[in-house]
Amino acid sequence: MITVHHLNNSRSQRVLWLLEELGLEYEIRFYQRDPKTMLAPKELMAVHPLGKSPVITDGETTVAESGAIVEYLLERYGAASGLLPAAGTPQRLRYRYWLHYAEGSAMPLLLLQLIFGRLPKAVPALIRPVAKLIAGGFRSRFIAPQLERHLRYMEQELGRDGWFAGGTFTAADIQMSFPVEGLRSRGGLDGRYPHLLKYLEAIHARPAYGRALERGGPYELLR
């Protein structure tokens, strides 16, 4: 039995979605973030030394990191699922690229956006005005232009075929869901990017996406 160690409001939501798309049986062990720090509880360290989510256990095998979990599940259970383009094709190369782009390029910028947005409230009141000035300047001069560049790039790529790895839905689209939802929530994704908004509508309409939300519970991106 596959067990998903599921942290609320986290990347592990898309692992549940992938399992639903694959039609696999699995169980969920729920973990809640600390309401003050928003960090994962220490109990997760008993599953993986870093104490972070997502992480799955499959018998004696433990797999962490979203991309690694996606690759493991598809290699072991998803050969005939259609979620993995055929080896040696251009679609397979695009699939691999977007699978790693999600965490390697998109999410670091969104994390910076989150950190610098919270910074003024996290410092002593005496230096809060200075922290607000520094954080605001960094966000406007560095983070915002970079996010806009990535938004234009993703919009252009989706305009080619409608999905990230080509003309059909793949696990790369599952992996990319979290950063795109994050961009919609706090990264500037709006009506200027119709292909990205259409992509969000399409993934949210998938029955497996809805089933994953039902099983995983309320899902909100951190702000």
Side-chain angles (χ1 to χ4, degrees):
M1 175 67 71
I2 298 169
T3 299
V4 181
H5 298 270
H6 177 55
L7 181 65
N8 65 308
N9 301 332
S10 77
R11 294 165 170 84
S12 62
Q13 183 63 42
R14 61 189 169 184
V15 175
L16 302 181
W17 178 17
L18 174 58
L19 288 165
E20 289 291 342
E21 292 282 359
L22 291 172
L24 297 175
E25 293 186 7
Y26 64 96
E27 63 179 11
I28 305 175
R29 292 184 185 173
F30 292 91
Y31 303 82
Q32 295 295 315
R33 296 180 181 273
D34 183 292
K36 292 183 178 180
T37 66
M38 301 308 296
L39 297 176
K42 294 181 179 179
E43 288 80 1
L44 265 173
M45 295 185 69
V47 184
H48 188 275
L50 293 180
K52 294 184 177 181
S53 180
V55 59
I56 67 169
T57 50
D58 184 12
E60 298 299 317
T61 302
T62 299
V63 187
E65 293 291 343
S66 301
I69 293 171
V70 170
E71 291 188 302
Y72 171 81
L73 290 174
L74 288 179
E75 288 172 3
R76 182 157 187 182
Y77 301 107
S81 66
L83 297 177
L84 180 65
T89 63
Q91 291 78 16
R92 182 64 166 264
L93 183 59
R94 286 180 65 183
Y95 161 88
R96 181 176 293 114
Y97 172 78
W98 290 107
L99 189 72
H100 294 282
Y101 169 94
E103 294 296 323
S105 294
M107 285 308 300
L109 284 171
L110 284 167
L111 182 59
L112 285 174
Q113 178 86 319
L114 177 65
I115 291 172
F116 279 90
R118 290 183 171 186
L119 180 63
K121 297 180 181 180
V123 300
L126 186 63
I127 63 172
R128 198 164 291 167
V130 176
K132 185 176 181 180
L133 185 64
I134 294 173
F138 188 74
R139 292 176 74 187
S140 63
R141 295 176 186 176
F142 175 76
I143 300 175
Q146 289 294 320
L147 286 174
E148 185 175 352
R149 177 183 297 180
H150 282 263
L151 279 165
R152 290 198 303 265
Y153 173 52
M154 286 184 277
E155 175 74 7
Q156 178 181 340
E157 288 295 300
L158 283 176
R160 294 169 58 185
D161 301 299
W163 298 106
F164 279 104
T168 59
F169 173 82
T170 70
D173 298 296
I174 296 176
Q175 181 75 343
M176 281 297 298
S177 65
F178 195 85
V180 176
E181 288 176 331
L183 287 164
R184 179 60 166 160
S185 175
R186 60 174 185 268
L189 173 53
D190 53 29
R192 294 172 295 168
Y193 308 100
H195 294 300
L196 279 162
L197 293 178
K198 184 178 179 181
Y199 159 83
L200 283 178
E201 291 179 1
I203 64 173
H204 292 164
R206 293 187 69 85
Y209 184 97
R211 293 195 301 271
L213 284 179
E214 289 177 4
R215 291 200 61 179
Y219 172 54
E220 294 183 8
L221 294 172
L222 300 181
R223 289 179 175 272

